[in-house]
């Protein structure tokens, strides 16, 4: 896709309007903004440099939080022998349909086939069994940044691919209480990360039995709402209880000298989160990135008039240096093969939060023009004090993008008291529907068959259930968040 210089309209027309076809709009934005592309390998995508830069910023922000809570990084093998994967029955059953197998190495058939990791509980549990002897060896707080493979029939860039990138935390603890505390702590970190860095508000809560991780005691999730009213599971945190410790024989001598199994957790977030960024914040002009995750927070576009290369350009470079010194990520677009109008549309489409225009007339007035991506507001701004003003604006944009997403979430969260009401809301673009539920998996499945909606999670401190289950009319056990989901 070589852009045609000088024709700013060409950029925008390459993107399907969001209101017309959300799904096509999404794919257009991801490809046109050069976040990712399809690859010659079926089901696998290429993450392009601009998309990977966003992932790196996400990684850094999460990694800081993991380390601040005592976790360390390590790396485990990509291949998992079949015998290990089979040790935890629910685990293997849950993942079997999606596992890719290696059966041959070089020109020899393998004696035991190897799974390409769909997740690493089996291989990590095997190692923990070797490393843990005493309560003094606990807790183990390890995270791994890696790729995983889960065979998919449908490909959607960032949202559903056979191979994707993620982090997986795996911890082992002395007591059930510590494991539960860790599981909730990491869910809290995901929530804070989503809200602070991604400017994405989320609903946190517990997954139902039918939606929990294969082999876990309990799964918690954060769920975000996309611009089309569909939910997206943004991260999960699992309390594994002693299930994997028993299967993999991870035992320790306790303080009272008895031999006990450890209590485990695992938790993960993936490159899906980039898809969420696109779908929560983007508009008809393309991507809109929250400043904290924008590879370029500011793009400087010099206006080429007169002897601009001798006058405007040195000034633009000085501004770039000044902003960079303040820790702001800046791109100076001094390409002379493109018109300013084309560059404006290009960087708007690629979601840069703030554009800084500078031309000879601005220099005469000792000012620049700042243009916000989120509000489209244009502000003549004095050169004097510019750095502080830009830093302040970036904070403001970050905050207001979150507030806007929060408002959308609130406006698209409704309560349903009856099944008729529930079905009516679920037509179209519903968002979250809060309703009372009996706790029966068969009833949950019936809701899905009728409306496509699933229970996203059960809120920790949601309203107490009133009266009867929205579907079957039996007494309600809990309040649930229902939505159609990615
Ligand atoms: Zn029911």
């Amino acid at each position: 896709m070589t852009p045609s210089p000088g024709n700013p309209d060409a950029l925008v027309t390459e993107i399907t309007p969001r209101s017309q076809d959300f799904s096509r709009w999404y794919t257009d934005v991801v490809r046109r903004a050069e976040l990712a592309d399809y690859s010659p390998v079926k089901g696998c995508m290429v993450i392009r440099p601009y998309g990977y830069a966003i992932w790196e910023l996400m990684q850094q922000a999460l990694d800081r939080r993991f380390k601040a809570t005592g976790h360390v990084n390590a790396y485990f093998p990509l291949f998992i022998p079949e015998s290990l994967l089979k040790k935890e029955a629910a685990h293997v059953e849950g993942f079997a349909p999606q596992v890719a197998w290696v059966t041959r190495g070089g020109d020899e058939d393998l004696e035991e086939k190897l799974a390409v990791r769909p997740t690493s509980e089996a291989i990590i549990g095997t190692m923990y069994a070797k490393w843990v002897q005493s309560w003094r060896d606990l807790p183990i707080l390890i995270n791994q940044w890696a790729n995983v493979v889960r065979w998919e029939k449908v490909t959607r860039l960032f949202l559903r691919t056979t191979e994707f990138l993620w982090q997986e935390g795996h911890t082992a603890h002395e007591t059930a209480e510590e494991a539960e505390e860790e599981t909730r702590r990491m869910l809290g970190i995901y929530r804070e990360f989503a809200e602070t860095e991604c400017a994405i508000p989320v609903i946190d809560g517990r997954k139902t039995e039918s939606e929990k991780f294969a082999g876990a005691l309990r799964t918690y999730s954060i769920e975000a709402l996309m611009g089309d009213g569909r939910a997206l599971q943004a991260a999960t945190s699992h309390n594994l209880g002693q299930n994997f410790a028993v299967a993999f024989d991870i035992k320790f001598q306790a303080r009272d000298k008895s031999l006990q199994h450890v209590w485990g957790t695992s938790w993960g977030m993936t490159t899906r989160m980039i898809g969420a960024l696109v779908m929560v914040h983007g508009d008809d002009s393309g991507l809109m990135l929250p400043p904290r995750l924008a590879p370029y927070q500011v793009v400087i576009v010099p206006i080429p008039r007169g002897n601009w290369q001798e006058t405007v350009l040195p000034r633009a470079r000085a501004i770039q240096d000044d902003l960079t010194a303040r820790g702001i990520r800046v791109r100076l677009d001094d390409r002379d093969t493109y018109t300013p109008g084309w560059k404006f549309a290009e960087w708007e489409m690629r979601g840069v939060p703030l554009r800084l225009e500078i031309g000879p007339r601005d220099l005469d007035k000792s000012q620049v023009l700042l243009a916000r991506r989120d509000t489209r507001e244009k502000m003549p701004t004095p050169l004097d004090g510019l750095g502080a003003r830009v830093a302040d604006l970036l904070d403001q944009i970050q905050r207001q993008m979150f507030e806007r997403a929060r408002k959308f979430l609130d406006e698209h969260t409704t309560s349903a008291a009856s099944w008729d009401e529930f079905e009516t809301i679920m037509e179209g673009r519903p968002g979250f529907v809060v309703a009372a539920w009996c706790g029966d998996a068969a009833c949950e499945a019936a809701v899905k068959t009728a409306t496509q909606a699933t229970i996203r999670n059960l809120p920790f401190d949601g309203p107490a259930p009133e009266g009867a289950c929205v579907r079957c009319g039996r007494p309600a056990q809990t309040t649930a968040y229902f939505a159609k989901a990615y």
Side-chain angles (χ1 to χ4, degrees), residues 164-485:
F164 57 89
L165 305 183
W166 77 346
Q167 59 69 219
E168 47 179 324
H170 296 267
T171 68
H173 306 264
E174 243 184 295
T175 67
E177 293 72 28
E178 280 177 45
E180 178 64 13
E181 195 187 316
E182 167 80 0
T183 313
R184 291 289 296 267
R185 178 185 300 118
M186 300 324 286
L187 189 77
I189 283 180
Y190 289 136
R191 180 190 179 126
E192 192 271 322
F193 165 82
E195 296 185 343
T196 310
E197 305 287 340
C198 310
I200 295 178
V202 293
I203 305 285
D204 54 6
R206 179 180 165 175
K207 286 282 185 189
T208 62
E209 285 300 299
S210 53
E211 296 274 341
K212 77 179 183 185
F213 179 73
L217 201 60
R218 282 188 285 280
T219 288
Y220 302 119
S221 74
I222 54 168
E223 306 279 334
L225 192 62
M226 305 298 103
D228 62 347
R230 282 181 183 262
L232 182 133
Q233 177 179 294
T236 48
S237 185
H238 317 293
N239 183 334
L240 304 176
Q242 291 178 309
N243 294 347
F244 286 85
V246 170
F248 292 92
D249 206 27
I250 316 172
K251 285 194 290 235
F252 69 102
Q253 192 177 51
R255 291 167 203 257
D256 66 2
K257 308 280 186 236
S258 67
L259 206 55
Q260 299 184 9
H261 286 104
V262 301
W263 298 82
T265 85
S266 67
W267 27 273
M269 205 210 69
T270 80
T271 35
R272 251 194 151 195
M273 204 62 185
I274 298 174
L277 270 190
V278 176
M279 291 193 288
V280 169
H281 300 302
D283 63 15
D284 280 351
S285 303
L287 203 57
M288 195 188 299
L289 293 172
R292 295 178 77 117
L293 295 178
Y296 307 121
Q297 297 169 307
V298 178
V299 61
I300 302 176
V301 180
I303 308 301
R305 285 208 190 92
N307 58 342
W308 71 284
Q309 277 165 323
E310 284 79 50
T311 55
V312 173
L313 197 54
R315 201 62 218 227
R317 289 206 178 102
I319 293 170
Q320 181 186 26
D321 291 345
D322 175 50
L323 295 179
T324 305
R326 287 171 178 273
I328 296 168
R329 295 183 289 275
V330 187
R331 166 81 181 254
L332 169 59
D333 189 353
D334 58 0
R335 295 174 292 177
D336 54 11
T337 42
Y338 297 91
T339 65
W342 191 89
K343 291 178 185 176
F344 296 169
E346 159 91 357
W347 293 114
E348 237 166 53
M349 187 268 297
R350 299 184 80 181
V352 176
L354 209 52
R355 180 175 76 235
L356 190 155
E357 302 169 23
I358 178 167
R361 273 179 233 157
D362 298 307
L363 278 188
D364 291 343
K365 290 188 252 179
S366 289
Q367 67 174 34
V368 297
L369 191 70
L370 292 176
R372 282 173 67 154
R373 172 66 179 88
D374 61 333
T375 58
R376 312 254 172 189
E377 201 181 338
K378 289 186 174 185
M379 298 154 285
T381 307
L383 276 169
D384 189 31
L386 181 65
R389 177 73 184 133
V390 166
D392 186 49
L393 269 173
L394 290 173
D395 283 348
Q396 217 178 92
I397 294 169
Q398 181 81 29
R399 213 168 42 245
Q400 289 179 3
M401 283 180 71
F402 175 75
E403 280 159 15
R404 183 154 84 169
R406 172 93 249 171
K407 188 162 174 273
F408 181 84
L409 175 65
D410 290 345
E411 285 170 358
H412 290 81
T413 303
T414 40
S415 295
S418 70
W419 179 244
D420 277 354
E421 206 182 333
F422 188 96
E423 276 195 305
T424 309
I425 301 170
M426 277 303 172
E427 285 163 18
R429 298 184 166 186
F432 289 111
V433 179
V434 185
W437 177 53
C438 60
D440 180 5
C443 186
E444 182 186 6
V447 173
K448 186 176 181 180
T449 308
T451 64
Q452 294 179 335
T454 49
I455 295 179
R456 301 320 303 158
N457 59 31
L458 313 171
F460 293 124
D461 33 45
E466 281 172 35
C469 171
V470 72
R471 169 71 190 173
C472 68
R474 284 176 291 174
Q477 297 267 316
T478 175
T479 297
Y481 274 79
F482 292 86
K484 295 179 186 171

Side-chain angles (χ1 to χ4, degrees), residues 105-159:
D107 52 10
E108 281 175 33
D109 289 331
L110 302 183
E111 275 178 33
E112 179 178 9
K113 60 180 182 173
L114 302 171
V116 180
R117 71 176 154 230
T119 178
S120 300
E121 278 76 8
I123 193 91
I124 292 179
T126 305
M127 299 312 295
Y128 285 3
K130 289 169 73 173
W131 296 343
V132 176
Q133 265 97 47
S134 147
W135 62 271
R136 292 179 193 82
D137 301 324
L138 298 171
I140 299 185
L141 306 172
I142 286 181
N143 175 63
Q144 159 168 273
W145 289 97
N147 58 342
V148 280
V149 166
R150 296 179 187 175
W151 218 255
E152 293 284 358
K153 291 186 177 71
V154 183
T155 309
R156 299 214 58 200
L157 298 170
F158 291 115
L159 304 175

